[in-house]
Amino acid sequence: MYNIGICDDGEFTCSEIEEMLLQYEKKHMVKLAVHIWNSGEQLCRYLKNSGGLDLIFLDIELLDLDGIVVGRYIREELENRDIQIVYISCKGQYAQQLFKMQPMDFLVKPILQKQIDETMELAIKIIDKNNMFFEFQKGGEYYKIPYGDILYFYSTGRKIHIVLKNREIEFYDKIDTIRGRLPEYFILIHKSYIINRNHVRKYTYETAEMSNDKILSISKPNRKDVREHILNQG
């Protein structure tokens, strides 16, 4: 089951999106639990107390806490990078403001069934991959770590270091070997670094600031590919 949220102060918009989600559920035989809020405050309260959402359709122009404030609350205060955010709006000029919230998509009203179908297909693909595991062996022990928990990998000599939110794990392997085992949202930014795009707070042409405040350098040979990956994300 996938937990989907809709937050819009327009009840008609909420009902429309809910109906399109139910059509998607019926057509693709997936199980969706749809939750609806008409204010950013209600949504934030729910996330603080429960947090059980996989995807949220979030209106930017909410009357109380707007969608940008809510997105910042999700990413920075709750430190949640797993919830996929799809912003919805009557306008289309928010790209720069939304980047730090790492939205999965941006839909301009009126929203069509085809857009919901495409968004759900992508969201389910990402959610399922986040729930998959990176597996490796260290000595005689085997480890399974959810991809979504990994901020980045880096290599020193013959060792690979996996950086998580509160710890690091190291084992023997090569960057080139593990690179082929990772989902497409892991980006090679340097011969020694592979980052999880979902844990990036800010990009520049030369650096990536990660969710643990670490700033990593993007090597010259990788800058063009990294930039194209960012621009075509999703």
Side-chain angles (χ1 to χ4, degrees), residues 1-176:
M1 178 184 290
Y2 301 95
N3 288 298
I4 313 298
I6 306 169
C7 186
D8 194 299
D9 47 29
E11 293 186 8
F12 179 74
T13 298
C14 292
S15 296
E16 272 196 325
I17 295 176
E18 181 182 27
E19 178 59 32
M20 287 187 278
L21 288 171
L22 294 176
Q23 290 297 322
Y24 179 87
E25 178 184 47
K26 182 178 180 181
K27 180 179 178 181
H28 294 272
M29 293 183 290
V30 296
K31 186 65 176 175
L32 306 180
V34 181
H35 312 266
I36 295 175
W37 299 272
N38 296 122
S39 78
E41 288 182 347
Q42 292 174 356
L43 172 58
C44 289
R45 194 177 305 119
Y46 171 85
L47 292 173
K48 182 178 180 180
N49 296 328
S50 302
L53 287 180
D54 296 305
L55 168 68
I56 176 73
F57 291 89
L58 180 57
D59 183 24
I60 292 179
E61 295 99 359
L62 292 167
L63 294 178
D64 51 3
L65 299 180
D66 67 41
I68 294 174
V69 173
V70 174
R72 190 176 296 118
Y73 176 78
I74 293 170
R75 298 299 191 227
E76 297 180 5
E77 293 195 38
L78 296 181
E79 297 184 337
N80 189 316
R81 306 274 161 178
D82 297 325
I83 297 175
Q84 301 302 312
I85 299 175
V86 175
Y87 278 111
I88 54 179
S89 174
C90 295
K91 306 170 186 177
Q93 75 258 18
Y94 289 98
Q96 291 298 320
Q97 294 168 268
L98 301 181
F99 184 80
K100 288 190 71 173
M101 272 61 78
Q102 299 173 316
M104 193 200 82
D105 208 346
F106 178 80
L107 303 178
V108 179
K109 302 174 187 178
I111 299 169
L112 305 176
Q113 181 71 53
K114 179 182 178 182
Q115 293 174 295
I116 294 293
D117 291 351
E118 291 174 350
T119 297
M120 287 303 303
E121 286 177 14
L122 176 58
I124 287 174
K125 180 180 178 182
I126 293 173
I127 293 162
D128 287 348
K129 284 190 174 181
N130 278 340
N131 290 331
M132 294 173 65
F133 296 90
F134 179 77
E135 301 181 34
F136 64 96
Q137 182 178 354
K138 181 180 179 181
E141 299 181 330
Y142 290 86
Y143 291 79
K144 293 175 65 176
I145 301 175
Y147 283 120
D149 290 349
I150 300 172
L151 279 64
Y152 57 92
F153 298 86
Y154 71 94
S155 64
T156 56
R158 295 172 52 231
K159 288 185 178 180
I160 296 292
H161 303 255
I162 305 176
V163 179
L164 308 173
K165 181 179 176 182
N166 296 314
R167 62 183 177 129
E168 283 191 24
I169 304 173
E170 61 182 44
F171 63 103
Y172 287 99
D173 211 327
K174 298 178 180 179
I175 281 285
D176 289 342

Side-chain angles (χ1 to χ4, degrees), residues 185-203:
Y185 51 85
F186 281 86
I187 312 170
L188 180 72
I189 65 167
H190 185 280
K191 65 180 181 180
S192 300
Y193 284 88
I194 300 175
I195 63 173
N196 183 342
R197 187 185 68 201
N198 297 326
H199 282 282
V200 176
R201 281 184 182 161
K202 183 172 65 176
Y203 284 103

